Amino acid sequence: MRQLLAVCPELDGVVCATDRIALGAIRELKAQGRRIPEDVAVAGFGDNKIAGVMTPGLTTIHFYYRECGATAASRMIEQLEAGEHATKEIKLGFELIRRESL
């Protein structure tokens, strides 16, 4: 975040690859006197438990990891049993968890 702000000081929003990265971004933004979300909006990905208890609460994407893992394992077993090697596109859902950081 420090490097990003050095290159783009007028930054008013950031979407982080994970909630843990977003937490680090928020810490650095606060250290530099920026207000969340008034000065910089922050969002993460993963819906980590910390996202709901930090201040401000982190807006994040909840991805259904268990469903994804179960679907992947099931598909892999199907392919192994059938001798398949074809790819199959499966779309799994996600949910926007809107909190105070946006």
Side-chain angles (χ1 to χ4, degrees):
M1 190 79 249
R2 189 175 307 128
Q3 291 173 338
L4 187 58
L5 287 171
V7 174
C8 187
E10 69 282 355
L11 179 82
D12 65 357
V14 64
V15 177
C16 301
T18 68
D19 290 345
R20 294 183 88 173
I21 293 170
L23 173 60
I26 287 173
R27 289 180 70 186
E28 180 61 27
L29 288 163
K30 285 182 175 183
Q32 292 198 21
R34 310 275 180 117
R35 297 170 301 150
I36 315 303
E38 296 85 359
D39 299 329
V40 183
V42 180
F45 188 93
D47 197 20
N48 189 301
K49 290 179 185 179
I50 192 81
V53 296
M54 59 190 283
T55 302
L58 179 65
T59 295
T60 185
I61 296 293
H62 177 84
F63 183 68
Y64 296 96
Y65 292 105
R66 287 186 185 194
E67 180 185 351
C68 180
T71 300
S74 175
R75 181 69 182 132
M76 185 169 55
I77 290 168
E78 287 173 16
Q79 285 186 342
L80 290 170
E81 289 175 347
E84 277 184 50
H85 296 289
T87 59
K88 180 178 181 181
E89 183 176 318
I90 300 172
K91 294 186 180 187
L92 299 172
F94 64 90
E95 180 180 356
L96 172 66
I97 308 297
R98 193 167 184 88
R99 296 192 179 102
E100 297 86 24
S101 67
L102 279 187

